[in-house]
Amino acid sequence: MREIIENRRLIWKLAKNDFKKRYAGSSLGTVWALIQPVVTVLMYWIVFQGIFQNKAQMIAGGIEVPYVLFLTSGLAPWFFFSEGINNGTTALLEYQYLVKKVVFNINILPVVRVTAALFIHVFFAGVLLVISMLYGYFPGLATIQIVYYSFGLYLFTLALSYFTSAIVVFFRDLTQIIGIALQLGMWATPILWDISMADSWPPVIGFVLRLNPICYVVSGYRSAVYGRTWFWEEPVYTLYFWVVTIVLLILGKKLFVKLKYHFADVL
């Protein structure tokens, strides 16, 4: 956190440039970054509306919600996690010229790449709130929790990125493995389906699915938008998420620092 605070201006500047350069040269520029998540939501909604329509009427303890709202509140955090982990993993590969500079603090590169993913996430969160208001779920005090859950997801993604960005320098196939893991992870995370459905499955399966930290964030987003419940109402689950996140962040940073002296030689 000290490094982030001390280098906040540089991180912000590099993150903005990182976001813009991906769409440089295209006619619509950064607008493409905003179009993609909206089109994805529409695609899933059209395909799965008929299948999950009845299920979506029993979300969050009997609260009736339209499937498009249920879907968007799950996709918003997942898109950020997916974009953030992909960005963070390739941080050192994308900024090889900075890694080879002795005076540059490469510890902030994963932070830069994960922060760049926040730009799309903020827009997506805005789309989520618009959809919720169209269906009569207007923001309340509990909606502020979106900031809390986004911050938690940011740190969790950053923790994993320290691991993956350090390892991928020596094992380039990791990017392909992460791509496959994200495809499987989307179905294993309650995004297209509700976590309460696991109650009718064998207890072991439901327990394992709830161990996924992203499940905590997705459920939290839905509670913030239409559930109107607070994170401290599930103290055990909240404590579990933060213990996992902090431990991964500490271990990830230690691995990154241990390997960073070899990055320039390998790259």
Side-chain angles (χ1 to χ4, degrees):
M1 294 304 296
R2 186 185 70 252
E3 288 182 339
I4 293 176
I5 294 173
E6 292 176 351
N7 297 277
R8 61 187 182 278
R9 295 183 183 276
L10 177 60
I11 291 173
W12 181 251
K13 183 177 180 179
L14 288 176
K16 287 194 298 182
N17 291 338
D18 184 272
F19 175 70
K20 293 178 180 178
K21 75 178 183 180
R22 283 182 290 172
Y23 306 96
S26 60
S27 300
L28 296 180
T30 56
V31 176
W32 284 114
L34 311 180
I35 293 176
Q36 182 178 358
V38 174
V39 171
T40 304
V41 170
L42 290 175
M43 179 187 68
Y44 278 115
W45 178 54
I46 292 172
V47 173
F48 292 102
Q49 174 69 31
I51 300 175
F52 289 95
Q53 187 173 14
N54 294 331
K55 302 287 186 183
Q57 304 305 315
M58 299 182 292
I59 304 303
I63 299 178
E64 295 186 1
V65 293
Y67 184 67
V68 64
L69 178 58
F70 169 82
L71 176 64
T72 308
S73 57
L75 285 176
W78 178 260
F79 276 178
F80 170 63
F81 173 71
S82 179
E83 179 81 5
I85 195 65
N86 281 321
N87 283 1
T89 299
T90 58
L92 300 177
L93 303 181
E94 290 290 332
Y95 289 97
Q96 293 186 37
Y97 61 95
L98 292 178
V99 175
K100 297 175 182 179
K101 289 183 178 295
V102 180
V103 296
F104 188 82
N105 182 10
I106 65 173
N107 293 345
I108 67 171
L109 290 180
V111 182
V112 170
R113 297 282 284 171
V114 174
T115 302
L118 275 176
F119 293 104
I120 301 177
H121 181 63
V122 171
F123 169 76
F124 208 156
V127 172
L128 171 60
L129 293 178
V130 170
I131 293 175
S132 67
M133 288 187 289
L134 289 176
Y135 283 99
Y137 295 90
F138 292 93
L141 189 60
T143 310
I144 301 175
Q145 294 181 104
I146 289 180
V147 178
Y148 159 76
Y149 286 110
S150 295
F151 176 70
L153 183 58
Y154 176 88
L155 290 183
F156 177 73
T157 306
L158 182 60
L160 293 182
S161 294
Y162 273 117
F163 279 105
T164 58
S165 62
I167 296 174
V168 77
V169 173
F170 307 94
F171 181 59
R172 301 298 176 91
D173 292 345
L174 182 62
T175 55
Q176 307 302 324
I177 296 175
I178 290 176
I180 296 174
L182 288 174
Q183 292 180 13
L184 298 176
M186 183 172 179
W187 294 96
T189 305
I191 297 172
L192 303 175
W193 52 279
D194 183 48
I195 189 62
S196 63
M197 296 171 61
D199 296 336
S200 60
W201 302 340
V204 175
I205 297 179
F207 176 76
V208 171
L209 290 174
R210 285 183 170 87
L211 289 179
N212 178 4
I214 308 299
C215 178
Y216 170 78
V217 177
V218 170
S219 299
Y221 261 71
R222 288 171 175 156
S223 296
V225 174
Y226 55 77
R228 300 297 188 262
T229 56
W230 293 89
F231 63 89
W232 58 72
E233 295 181 33
E234 293 192 34
V236 176
Y237 206 11
T238 298
L239 179 62
Y240 165 76
F241 173 81
W242 283 107
V243 168
V244 170
T245 299
I246 292 173
V247 169
L248 287 177
L249 194 56
I250 294 173
L251 296 179
K253 185 63 183 300
K254 285 183 177 295
L255 177 66
F256 188 92
V257 172
K258 183 178 181 179
L259 297 178
K260 74 175 184 179
Y261 301 105
H262 306 285
F263 291 158
D265 295 333
V266 176
L267 292 172

